[in-house]
Amino acid sequence: MAAVKEDAGGRGGGFEGEMEVEAYRRLFPLPYYERHLLESVRPDARPLSSARDTSIAVGAVSSADGSALVKTGETTMLAAIKLEVMSPSQDSPDEGSLAIDFHMPPICSPTVRPGRPAELAPVLSKQLSDVISRSKMIHLKELSLVSGKAAWMAYLDIYCLNADGSLFDVALLSAVAALAHLHIPLVSLNDEGRIIAVSGDPSRKTTREVVNKDKRKLSLNSVPFSLTCLLHKDYILADPTAEEESIMDTPVTVVLDSLDCLVSLYKPGGAALALTSSLKECVSLTRRRVQELRSILDEALQSTEMDED
Amino acid sequence: MASPASYALRRHQQQRRRPLQDDNWVRSDGRGFHQCRPAFLRTGAARAASGSAYAEFGSTKVIVSVFGPRESKKAMKYSGIGRLNCNVNFATFSTATRGQESDHKDFSSMLHKALEGAVLLESFPKTTVDVFALVLESGGSDLPAVISCASLALADAGIMMYDLVASASVSCIGNSLIIDPAAEEEDCQDGSLTVAFMPSRREITQLTLTGEWSTGRIHEATELCLDACSKLGEIMRTCLKQAVSSST
C-alpha cells in the first residue's frame, strides 16, 4: 500500500510519514479529505458537485397499496403506503389525510440499537411531512370518498434499510415515488355505512355503486425533490456520504419542486457560515439534480406501467 | 395532530374454511403439499453492517444485518464467552392490515435460541454480536425465513459457526401436512412444526411443535422439514460461494 509522504493538513506528529492510507484515513479524517478536496475529487472518485447514482424500483412491497425502493449510492430507503378508511373531520368533510412516518430500524446503521431509537428519525419525519404538505403535491380532496362520511387515511411509512448519508434526500424521493405509484382500490358503500372493497373482477357485477371510479390515481402537480450539500471552507460537496457528514458538519438541504419553485431551505447550524454565493451555488446544484431525479422517476414509473399493461 | 380512528378494508370477506376431512383441496398458490416456495437469497444487502443478507420466499421478505463483535452494553455483567443479541422487527406495512411497529420479543428469543447452538461464542469473548432482523413482508413462515437469513448474515459477517442453520416449517390442516405454509394457510392450521437444522452436522438446534399430533405424524412432519432444510442449506451454501467468487 502506498505510504503518505507529507502532512498536508498541518496536523499530527511526524509518524504520519510511513502510515498506511487506510490508517491515515481513520486517524486524521479531515486532513485526508482536505488533500482530496485540493485535487477537486472525493475518495469515492466523484467530483465535488456530483451526486451518487440513484435507482428507483416502484411496487417493491406487494402487501401495500403503493411502494418504492430507492437507492442512492449505498443509502437505501423503502417507502410503502397503506390505505385505511376514516371519517373526515368536521372542519374538512371532503378531505382525506396523509400520515408520514420515518423509521430507522437497528438494521440500518451500527449507531442505532433496539430500545434506543435514533434521534434523527422523528426529526426527519417532521421535515418530510412539512415538505410534502407545503409543496401542495397532494390534493387531500382526492382522498375523499363520500363527503362528510368517509375518506382515505393514507399511512406512508419510510424505512431506512441502510444509512450512508443524505437520508432526507433519499427518503423524500422514496416517498414521492411511492405516492406516484399508489393504486387506490375500488370501493363501495355497504348498507351499514362502511366502505368495503370491490373485487377487481368485472364479470361479477355488484349491485352496489362504486364510489371512486375515476379516482384511482393521485394527480401529483408539483413534485418536490431535494439535494443536501456540505459546506466546508470554500468547498461545496453535493450528496455527502455518512463518512463525509461525520467529518464536515455544515449541511444545507434545498428542496425545489418540479415547477422550479423553492419549497424549503434548511441549514441546521454548523461551523461554516453560509454566504449568499454558496447558497446560490447549492440552489443551482439542486436545480441540476432535480432534472436528473425527474427523469429517473419518470423512467421507473413508465417501465412498471408497461409491465402492468 | 392525533390521527383519527380508521379501519382497514377487508379484502377477503370470509376466510375460506376448508372441509377438514377432504384431502383434495388445492393450495392457493397452486403448489403441491410437499413443495416449498422458490427461495431467493443474497448476502451484502446492507453495507453499513459487518454482514447482512436478504431472503425472499414467495411473498415473505426479510432482511437481516449483523453488527460486531463489538463492545457489550455497559449494564451487562462480565462474560468470558461472547454474547449473541437478537432482535426481530416487523415493518408496519408487512402485514395485511397495518400494524404498529413493535419488537417481537417471542420471535427475538426464538431466533436467539435457534442460532445459539451453531455459533462459536468462545471465538469472541467479552463482546457482543448483534443480529437484527426486519420483516419487510410477512407472507407466512416468517420465523423460518428469519432464522435461515440470519445464519447467512452471520456467515457473511465472518462469525464462526459450526454449520449454517436452515429452517423450515410444516402446517397440519385436517389430514394433510403442508410444507412452507403461506400466511392464509397458517391462519387456518390445526398444528405446526418448525425445525431449525444444521444440514452438514445433521443436528437440530430448535424444534417447536404446537397443536395436537399423533406420534406417526410428528415423524412424518419432521422428515419433511429435515429434507426441506437440507435442500435450503445447499441453496444457502451456493449463495455464499457466489458472493465470494463475484467479489474476487
Side-chain angles (χ1 to χ4, degrees):
Chain A
M1 216 181 254
V4 177
K5 288 275 151 33
E6 57 190 312
D7 177 21
R11 202 182 330 154
F15 66 93
E16 278 172 48
E18 291 103 48
M19 203 181 287
E20 286 189 350
V21 173
E22 229 9 73
Y24 184 65
R25 179 180 196 161
R26 299 194 74 159
L27 289 170
F28 305 102
L30 193 56
Y32 173 83
Y33 260 89
E34 283 178 338
R35 288 192 59 171
H36 279 88
L37 296 181
L38 273 177
E39 308 290 331
S40 300
V41 71
R42 291 147 84 168
D44 55 6
R46 273 190 289 162
L48 268 55
S49 60
S50 288
R52 293 166 287 178
D53 283 344
T54 299
S55 66
I56 302 175
V58 293
V61 182
S62 55
S63 55
D65 298 295
S67 60
L69 177 75
V70 175
K71 244 184 135 167
T72 295
E74 290 295 336
T75 301
T76 313
M77 299 278 175
L78 182 64
I81 304 170
K82 272 185 116 62
L83 292 174
E84 292 193 358
V85 181
M86 63 159 191
S87 315
S89 68
Q90 302 273 309
D91 318 331
S92 49
D94 53 355
E95 282 188 4
S97 183
L98 175 69
I100 299 173
D101 221 344
F102 178 73
H103 308 261
M104 287 180 78
I107 62 161
C108 78
S109 153
T111 57
V112 186
R113 303 218 180 172
R116 254 186 297 168
E119 279 176 29
L120 198 59
V123 177
L124 282 184
S125 277
K126 181 80 176 69
Q127 259 179 289
L128 286 165
S129 19
D130 281 355
V131 162
I132 288 175
S133 62
R134 300 280 159 72
S135 69
K136 302 260 190 300
M137 170 172 68
I138 305 231
H139 302 290
L140 289 176
K141 286 195 166 53
E142 284 185 14
L143 290 172
S144 173
L145 285 167
V146 182
S147 181
K149 289 255 173 56
W152 289 117
M153 171 84 219
Y155 290 100
L156 168 55
D157 289 284
I158 305 157
Y159 277 83
C160 178
L161 302 183
N162 193 41
D164 188 21
S166 308
L167 299 185
F168 177 81
D169 302 349
V170 190
L172 180 64
L173 183 59
S174 70
V176 164
L179 285 166
H181 173 253
L182 181 65
H183 289 274
I184 299 175
L186 280 177
V187 292
S188 65
L189 204 61
N190 73 359
D191 304 332
E192 292 142 38
R194 276 172 81 89
I195 294 287
I196 54 164
V198 177
S199 68
D201 189 6
S203 60
R204 268 184 54 208
K205 272 274 177 237
T206 44
T207 46
R208 295 193 177 87
E209 195 193 346
V210 174
V211 289
N212 62 341
K213 203 165 228 159
D214 46 352
K215 287 194 271 187
R216 304 296 305 284
K217 278 260 180 197
L218 296 176
S219 55
L220 309 177
N221 41 346
S222 55
V223 182
F225 295 101
S226 76
L227 179 70
T228 299
C229 296
L230 277 182
L231 304 183
H232 179 69
K233 293 185 179 162
D234 292 335
Y235 305 110
I236 297 175
L237 287 82
D239 186 30
T241 62
E243 189 188 9
E244 288 165 345
E245 281 180 347
S246 69
I247 298 165
M248 295 164 275
D249 63 347
T250 313
V252 175
T253 302
V254 181
V255 187
L256 294 174
D257 67 15
S258 43
L259 306 171
D260 210 20
C261 296
L262 184 67
V263 178
S264 146
L265 195 150
Y266 184 57
K267 177 188 178 291
L273 297 172
L275 302 169
T276 322
S277 59
S278 45
L279 282 182
K280 273 185 183 154
E281 177 65 20
C282 287
V283 172
S284 72
L285 284 174
T286 310
R287 196 169 287 146
R288 218 172 65 199
R289 178 72 174 154
V290 169
Q291 302 301 329
E292 258 173 57
L293 292 178
R294 270 179 76 177
S295 63
I296 294 172
L297 180 60
D298 287 345
E299 220 166 87
L301 290 170
Q302 261 165 23
S303 67
T304 50
E305 264 165 36
M306 273 193 280
D307 288 349
E308 281 161 10
D309 284 344
Chain B
M1 186 186 76
S3 61
S6 58
Y7 59 91
L9 287 180
R10 266 182 296 164
R11 296 189 191 190
H12 309 291
Q13 296 289 312
Q14 281 271 262
Q15 188 59 244
R16 279 175 298 147
R17 283 304 305 183
R18 295 199 171 82
L20 287 180
Q21 302 310 315
D22 183 11
D23 291 343
N24 296 324
W25 56 279
V26 184
R27 296 176 77 169
S28 54
D29 46 7
R31 274 186 290 155
F33 286 2
H34 296 172
Q35 194 182 357
C36 294
R37 293 171 291 182
F40 175 84
L41 306 167
R42 279 287 177 280
T43 54
R47 296 274 169 212
S50 325
S52 61
Y54 170 80
E56 195 175 306
F57 299 88
S59 64
T60 302
K61 292 167 190 164
V62 301
I63 182 166
V64 179
S65 291
V66 171
F67 295 95
R70 59 185 182 184
E71 191 186 0
S72 295
K73 267 195 214 150
K74 296 280 188 296
M76 293 294 231
K77 266 171 62 185
Y78 174 82
S79 161
I81 58 165
R83 277 196 183 85
L84 197 64
N85 175 34
C86 298
N87 183 268
V88 181
N89 258 302
F90 278 68
T92 52
F93 46 74
S94 64
T95 45
T97 49
R98 184 177 182 272
Q100 287 300 308
E101 193 187 36
S102 60
D103 284 1
H104 277 244
K105 290 272 189 311
D106 49 342
F107 270 35
S108 304
S109 103
M110 300 271 272
L111 174 63
H112 180 252
K113 299 243 161 67
L115 295 174
E116 203 180 23
V119 177
L120 274 88
L121 295 172
E122 312 79 56
S123 65
F124 47 96
K126 299 180 241 176
T127 52
T128 300
V129 167
D130 290 303
V131 180
F132 298 143
L134 180 66
V135 178
L136 301 174
E137 251 188 273
S138 153
S141 308
D142 300 339
L143 184 63
V146 167
I147 294 174
S148 311
C149 188
S151 94
L152 208 57
L154 281 167
D156 185 48
I159 307 293
M160 281 209 264
M161 288 186 286
Y162 293 110
D163 192 4
L164 289 169
V165 181
S167 179
S169 67
V170 162
S171 274
C172 178
I173 300 178
N175 287 324
S176 344
L177 290 177
I178 55 166
I179 194 143
D180 193 23
E184 64 265 25
E185 291 164 342
E186 279 182 333
D187 286 342
C188 56
Q189 70 188 8
D190 303 317
S192 83
L193 171 75
T194 305
V195 171
F197 181 60
M198 295 194 274
S200 312
R201 292 167 66 95
R202 298 204 59 79
E203 284 177 341
I204 290 175
T205 61
Q206 189 178 56
L207 189 145
T208 317
L209 189 73
T210 60
E212 197 180 315
W213 293 77
S214 66
T215 320
R217 312 294 329 264
I218 296 179
H219 281 300
E220 197 186 328
T222 315
E223 283 309 317
L224 269 176
C225 275
L226 294 187
D227 185 46
C229 289
S230 305
K231 283 175 185 153
L232 179 58
E234 280 308 309
I235 302 175
M236 290 162 70
R237 224 164 274 276
T238 318
C239 165
L240 286 173
K241 279 182 197 156
Q242 269 174 2
V244 171
S245 61
S246 64
S247 66
T248 49

